[in-house]
Amino acid sequence: MDQDSRCTAERELLEAVSRITTFSTTSSADEEQNQPKAEISCQVRKENSEKDDLQDSNASLSPNSSMTTKELQEYWKNEKRQCRQVKLLFEIPSTRIVEHRLSKYVMYKIIILQTGSFDSNKSVIERRYSDFEKLHRNLLEEFSEEMEDVTFPKKTLTGNFTEEIINERKLAFKDYLRLLYSMKYIRRSKKFIDFLTRLELQEAYGCLRGGHYTKALEILLEVIGLQERLTRGNPVSIVPTLCAIVVCHKDLENPASAFEYGEKALSRLRVHTSHRYYIPLLETMITLAYELGKDFLSLQEKLEEWKAKKDPIRVFTLKELAVREYVQ
């Protein structure tokens, strides 16, 4: 392609993106004008809780004049992916009774599936009644209006371990999760996402701190797919998990895999260079690139550019940051 053709292609892509952005903004404004006052009031009340997520998403996807044709094409793909809502289905196919010396409870196996996908995209977690109860209590504190008509299965004094009660709760919890996920503000909330991921992440980081990198990596790779689907509007939020995967691969002497996940993390921090993981990740990526015989000079330039703009401060290594996550 000659220089004129390339310039024309870049200009057309920029114009297309600009038209879409303008249309999206105009449409949103029109929708707000047509909303009933009660809905607008509810929306205003919730805007602050999502402000940071929206800023992260918009900042990481905004086109600019310095983009190459390839970068604009990648932007367009990301924009289309952001516009498509990922729909998840919740199934509770089985349970198991756990007995300890002083306690006994039922664990509910939850399978989370992405609609239109095969089993390779499913996530499997286990939660007990008390986990659901804590989620419900937390959501009532923040989303009292939205939770007004949401019913929660009550505890019973006896019969909690009978087949009848367990089967009733399986169906009730399945409907409960489906209903919560259908409400936009709740499915995007940290409390809902934590319910689905936090226990596994705590276990993974505990393994990482103990030097059990293979087990930690196994859990992190299970969680990252679910995190990506749950936090699509806020891609920066999964950077710590991606970096923990980098640390595990690096310590297991898998530099190629470590570099692959490091690139994914860096792409999410492209316009977030003040993020606490940015410099430690850059330093690790330079080491990995040198080891793999890849171009490390461009990464080194980014590091020097950052150091020239910022005052020298103590920066933790990537591993030091990772082991500090989810410390009780």
Side-chain angles (χ1 to χ4, degrees):
M1 183 183 291
D2 58 30
Q3 184 67 27
D4 291 340
S5 298
R6 187 180 300 109
C7 291
T8 301
E10 292 178 359
R11 187 168 58 256
E12 289 176 351
L13 277 169
L14 278 170
E15 290 174 354
V17 169
S18 177
R19 286 197 299 272
I20 290 167
T21 304
T22 302
F23 173 77
S24 174
T25 304
T26 305
S27 298
S28 298
D30 292 342
E31 287 176 3
E32 287 182 3
Q33 290 177 357
N34 293 328
Q35 281 181 311
K37 290 183 179 179
E39 292 184 11
I40 294 174
S41 175
C42 179
Q43 180 175 338
V44 170
R45 185 171 61 83
K46 299 299 182 186
E47 274 180 352
N48 289 337
S49 66
E50 295 186 357
K51 186 175 180 182
D52 292 339
D53 289 357
L54 292 173
Q55 286 177 340
D56 285 344
S57 177
N58 292 335
S60 62
L61 290 174
S62 298
N64 59 67
S65 58
S66 64
M67 281 181 164
T68 64
T69 301
K70 183 177 179 181
E71 288 173 334
L72 282 167
Q73 289 171 340
E74 186 61 29
Y75 163 82
W76 175 239
K77 290 178 184 177
N78 287 335
E79 184 71 10
K80 288 195 291 186
R81 282 197 293 267
Q82 292 293 333
C83 292
R84 274 200 312 269
Q85 177 193 334
V86 174
K87 295 184 179 179
L88 301 180
L89 299 176
F90 298 87
E91 299 289 342
I92 304 181
S94 62
T95 62
R96 62 186 179 95
I97 296 176
V98 178
E99 293 190 63
H100 296 300
R101 189 165 63 89
L102 298 175
S103 64
K104 181 179 179 181
Y105 53 88
V106 179
M107 293 294 289
Y108 296 84
K109 181 179 181 180
I110 306 168
I111 297 179
I112 306 162
L113 295 161
Q114 183 173 329
T115 57
S117 66
F118 297 101
D119 286 347
S120 59
N121 289 321
K122 73 180 180 183
S123 299
V124 181
I125 60 176
E126 283 189 318
R127 296 293 182 268
R128 54 189 290 188
Y129 182 95
S130 60
D131 295 323
F132 281 97
E133 191 176 39
K134 181 180 178 182
L135 169 67
H136 190 71
R137 189 167 57 249
N138 289 339
L139 291 178
L140 281 173
E141 292 176 358
E142 187 174 352
F143 303 98
S144 56
E145 293 180 15
E146 290 84 349
M147 298 289 290
E148 274 182 349
D149 299 322
V150 178
T151 58
F152 187 81
K154 295 180 179 179
K155 275 186 176 178
T156 58
L157 295 177
T158 60
N160 286 303
F161 301 101
T162 64
E163 184 177 352
E164 181 182 2
I165 293 295
I166 290 174
N167 285 334
E168 284 180 3
R169 286 183 176 172
K170 276 169 55 178
L171 294 174
F173 284 142
K174 173 185 172 181
D175 290 340
Y176 178 73
L177 291 173
R178 176 189 57 79
L179 183 57
L180 293 182
Y181 185 76
S182 70
M183 293 184 276
K184 181 176 68 173
Y185 295 118
I186 290 181
R187 72 167 172 264
R188 291 181 178 179
S189 71
K190 185 178 185 299
K191 291 175 180 178
F192 182 69
I193 294 170
D194 277 354
F195 169 78
L196 295 171
T197 61
R198 188 176 182 86
L199 290 179
E200 286 70 26
L201 287 171
Q202 285 176 329
E203 182 183 1
Y205 279 98
C207 291
L208 193 157
R209 283 189 289 273
H212 306 298
Y213 302 113
T214 300
K215 181 61 176 177
L217 183 60
E218 179 186 333
I219 301 171
L220 290 168
L221 291 176
E222 285 285 333
V223 175
I224 191 66
L226 179 57
Q227 272 191 307
E228 286 177 329
R229 296 195 289 273
L230 289 168
T231 62
R232 181 160 288 198
N234 182 19
V236 177
S237 64
I238 67 169
V239 166
T241 306
L242 288 171
C243 289
I245 292 174
V246 172
V247 169
C248 289
H249 274 306
K250 189 172 183 295
D251 278 31
L252 289 170
E253 299 183 357
N254 299 325
S257 297
F259 191 83
E260 176 189 346
Y261 280 92
E263 285 188 315
K264 291 180 181 180
L266 269 183
S267 70
R268 286 161 171 79
L269 296 178
R270 183 168 57 86
V271 294
H272 300 279
T273 57
S274 60
H275 195 282
R276 61 196 173 97
Y277 270 89
Y278 181 68
I279 293 305
L281 179 59
L282 260 185
E283 291 174 338
T284 299
M285 290 294 284
I286 290 169
T287 301
L288 289 169
Y290 182 81
E291 183 179 348
L292 293 166
K294 294 179 179 290
D295 170 34
F296 64 89
L297 293 178
S298 58
L299 296 169
Q300 187 70 47
E301 287 174 3
K302 289 179 181 179
L303 180 61
E304 296 302 326
E305 180 183 343
W306 185 91
K307 287 181 176 179
K309 291 180 179 178
K310 305 286 184 179
D311 293 330
I313 56 173
R314 185 182 187 281
V315 177
F316 291 112
T317 66
L318 198 66
K319 188 172 182 178
E320 287 173 337
L321 276 180
V323 299
R324 283 167 168 77
E325 295 284 349
Y326 293 94
V327 175
Q328 296 297 324

